[in-house]
Amino acid sequence: SSKPDADRGRQLLEQYLDAAQRRNHRPLTIRLLGLRALDRAADGDESGALDSLERAVTLSHDGGIIRMIAELGPALIPLLHRLDVTGDLLGHVGAVLAAIEPDNEGSAAAAPTVPMVAGEPTLTPREFDVLRLLAEHKTNQEIGRELFIALGTVKKNTVRLYDKLNVHGRREAVAKAQALGYLPD
């Protein structure tokens, strides 16, 4: 009975989304697009999930509304990282991510922490170390020496980092990490 329930839930989601869009109810449309993104991601449809989330983020940016997406919680973080956006929209994604991630009360607002999803890091501590050294314009050899790891391990961590941030190179990884608030500018 789970499959018919899920199908019925998706039908209702689409009906509510259609009604919200017809009525130009921006906050509800943003929230429903975010829910649709989560549902499609859970169903294995990453492309559909990213399309819905990009529409939600664009509407959110245009209306200055962060809370409607952020309140959907940490499950959105991996999808937000994979969005292929630039400029102001990328900065807005960073603001949404900052609103999702809980503040550690009482801790110093010093160095950024490893990005977390449901209490688990989205980047391993080693990937985060590699990212910081990429931001310092270190070569793979220098990164390996500084972290006491083999060149092949540096390359594996770099490739995984690029995949998680949905980027294709060092500069792009650093720029996206800075825009998302994981590295200082």
Side-chain angles (χ1 to χ4, degrees):
S1 110
S2 177
K3 175 82 168 116
D5 290 343
D7 291 342
R8 179 68 182 135
R10 286 185 184 104
Q11 281 180 338
L12 288 171
L13 177 62
E14 294 304 320
Q15 287 173 1
Y16 290 136
L17 179 56
D18 186 51
Q21 289 172 330
R22 279 197 319 269
R23 291 180 175 82
N24 290 322
H25 194 298
R26 185 184 303 254
L28 184 57
T29 300
I30 292 167
R31 174 69 56 95
L32 292 170
L33 284 167
L35 286 171
R36 182 207 267 165
L38 288 172
D39 177 63
R40 290 192 173 167
D43 207 32
D45 178 10
E46 182 172 318
S47 176
L50 292 174
D51 287 346
S52 292
L53 187 56
E54 187 170 345
R55 284 183 54 210
V57 166
T58 300
L59 280 172
S60 169
H61 176 261
D62 294 346
I65 304 168
I66 291 174
R67 185 175 51 88
M68 297 309 288
I69 296 176
E71 286 179 349
L72 292 173
L76 274 181
I77 293 173
L79 287 173
L80 287 164
H81 285 171
R82 296 203 56 76
L83 281 180
D84 190 15
V85 294
T86 57
D88 288 346
L89 209 50
L90 182 58
H92 184 68
V93 169
V96 171
L97 284 163
I100 290 172
E101 296 179 299
D103 292 329
N104 297 327
E105 291 184 33
S107 69
T113 58
V114 176
M116 303 291 276
V117 176
E120 294 297 318
T122 56
L123 301 179
T124 66
R126 181 61 78 203
E127 290 164 348
F128 199 64
D129 289 341
V130 169
L131 177 62
R132 281 196 298 253
L133 294 171
L134 289 175
E136 294 175 15
H137 307 288
K138 304 274 185 179
T139 66
N140 284 353
Q141 290 80 5
E142 291 169 325
I143 292 170
R145 277 195 301 272
E146 191 159 329
L147 298 178
F148 302 102
I149 58 177
L151 185 58
T153 305
V154 173
K155 290 177 182 177
K156 284 180 197 170
N157 280 288
T158 305
V159 167
R160 281 199 309 264
L161 179 65
Y162 294 171
D163 185 51
K164 288 179 179 181
L165 291 174
N166 195 30
V167 296
H168 302 289
R170 292 168 177 257
R171 288 184 186 151
E172 214 178 330
V174 169
K176 189 164 186 179
Q178 287 172 333
L180 296 174
Y182 298 143
L183 293 173
D185 289 336

